[in-house]
Amino acid sequence: MGRRRGDDRIVVDVATGRAELVPDPDRPRSWTLLLDDAPQSHVDLADPTHLEFEYVRRLGAALDLIAAPGAPLRVLHLGGGALTLPRYVQATRPGSTQRVAEVDGALVELVRRELPWPADPRLKVRVADARATLESSRDASYDVVVADVFAGARTPAHLTSAEYAAQVARVLAPAGWYLANLADGPPLRHTRAQVATVRQVLPRAALVGDAAVLRGRRHGNLVLVAGRVEPPVPELTRRAAGDWFPGRVLAGAELDRFVAGAAVVTDADATDSLPPPPGIFSVRR
């Protein structure tokens, strides 16, 4: 069982570290999930369409734009956290079929107990490894695969390779989309390699992020949108530019230049993504 501190935060040891649920002082019934002090999720139980974190807002924008508004989708979420995006899809695309693969069973139980999601037989949360879930899924069984998997603040190596990307492409419908949260910092070697690797099998792509992160000036999160058809770049660009956290979109020739010279990652040489700089999470929101 966890322990509550004087400020009502909930602290529990889970399989992947120390989980904390911290109440948001500015939004009633809203909580931030941290794992080993790294922010993982923000959830507003009263309004699941509220997306607080910068990169989650960009993932949400992509989910809004890749299909007609309100149309249900078949979505596989690799990494669960506090289920921010599954709740968002429930609210914005009723009738969607969703599967969530989260490797940490104790974390799932914590979220289920403290931040319960609306009961929905079309939303299934399973304790499972992300890649194993992909490999056991049927061909063309999903419209969207969302990857937001971190061990601490690093993406595990087995979710960065060409073999992994091939599994993502296999389970996607022909017009399906891969959305990935990439955390990286100067000189963005991890991100360049990931874009090069994914584009081997899903060649039409866009990269969304803060301009300073894209220029390699600081550590941050970038969102990769990749598929077999052209992504909605003009709409993504407008959403990114007009967001609370203004961002840029790289696509076409700009993305080609960004990726130029990056090597494709394979299982044989894959490594975890680089850790963030010390102290980056020292100020909590």
Side-chain angles (χ1 to χ4, degrees):
M1 294 295 292
R3 62 185 185 277
R4 292 179 183 264
R5 297 179 179 173
D7 60 1
D8 290 329
R9 72 181 59 197
I10 302 164
V11 184
V12 178
D13 289 329
V14 296
T16 51
R18 184 188 64 183
E20 295 184 60
L21 294 176
V22 182
D24 185 336
D26 299 319
R27 295 187 68 88
R29 300 193 65 208
S30 295
W31 297 78
T32 299
L33 166 67
L34 301 100
L35 282 175
D36 290 338
D37 295 326
Q40 299 289 324
S41 305
H42 180 281
V43 170
D44 186 330
L45 297 177
D47 180 9
T49 67
H50 175 78
L51 303 178
E52 182 78 10
F53 289 175
E54 176 181 333
Y55 82 88
V56 179
R57 293 179 63 79
R58 290 170 181 154
L59 288 167
L63 284 165
D64 290 345
L65 295 170
I66 58 178
L73 295 170
R74 300 170 298 163
V75 186
L76 173 61
H77 300 267
L78 303 178
L83 273 69
T84 305
L85 284 174
R87 299 172 202 253
Y88 182 79
V89 172
Q90 266 190 322
T92 60
R93 296 185 177 278
S96 293
T97 301
Q98 302 189 82
R99 183 179 182 184
V100 180
E102 169 57 56
V103 74
D104 191 331
L107 178 61
V108 170
E109 288 310 308
L110 172 66
V111 173
R112 192 190 305 274
R113 182 175 68 249
E114 302 292 345
L115 308 176
W117 53 90
D120 183 349
R122 292 177 294 270
L123 171 56
K124 299 184 185 300
V125 181
R126 298 289 182 261
V127 178
D129 174 77
R131 183 148 164 188
T133 298
L134 277 174
E135 291 171 350
S136 66
S137 297
R138 299 188 311 275
D139 293 1
S141 53
Y142 293 103
D143 303 307
V144 186
V145 173
V146 181
D148 189 10
V149 184
F150 289 87
R154 305 177 69 178
T155 303
H158 71 301
L159 305 179
T160 67
S161 68
E163 292 87 346
Y164 159 79
Q167 289 296 320
V168 172
R170 180 184 63 79
V171 305
L172 281 175
W177 292 99
Y178 178 55
L179 311 179
N181 173 28
L182 307 174
D184 201 5
L188 298 178
R189 290 193 186 95
H190 171 70
T191 298
R192 296 175 200 275
Q194 286 306 289
V195 176
T197 300
V198 170
R199 289 208 307 178
Q200 292 280 296
V201 289
L202 299 169
R204 306 290 185 252
L207 190 64
V208 189
D210 179 272
V213 178
L214 284 167
R215 290 174 184 147
R217 294 179 179 172
R218 68 173 179 85
H219 188 279
N221 295 81
L222 300 166
V223 168
L224 175 62
V225 180
R228 299 180 180 93
V229 296
E230 289 297 328
V233 172
E235 294 85 354
L236 283 170
T237 300
R238 283 193 290 271
R239 285 285 289 267
D243 195 65
W244 299 345
F245 309 102
R248 286 192 60 213
V249 178
L250 298 186
E254 271 196 304
L255 190 60
D256 291 341
R257 288 192 294 272
F258 178 84
V259 177
V264 171
V265 178
T266 68
D267 278 342
D269 56 25
T271 59
D272 295 350
S273 65
L274 292 177
I280 194 171
F281 302 126
S282 60
V283 179
R284 296 182 183 174
R285 300 194 56 177

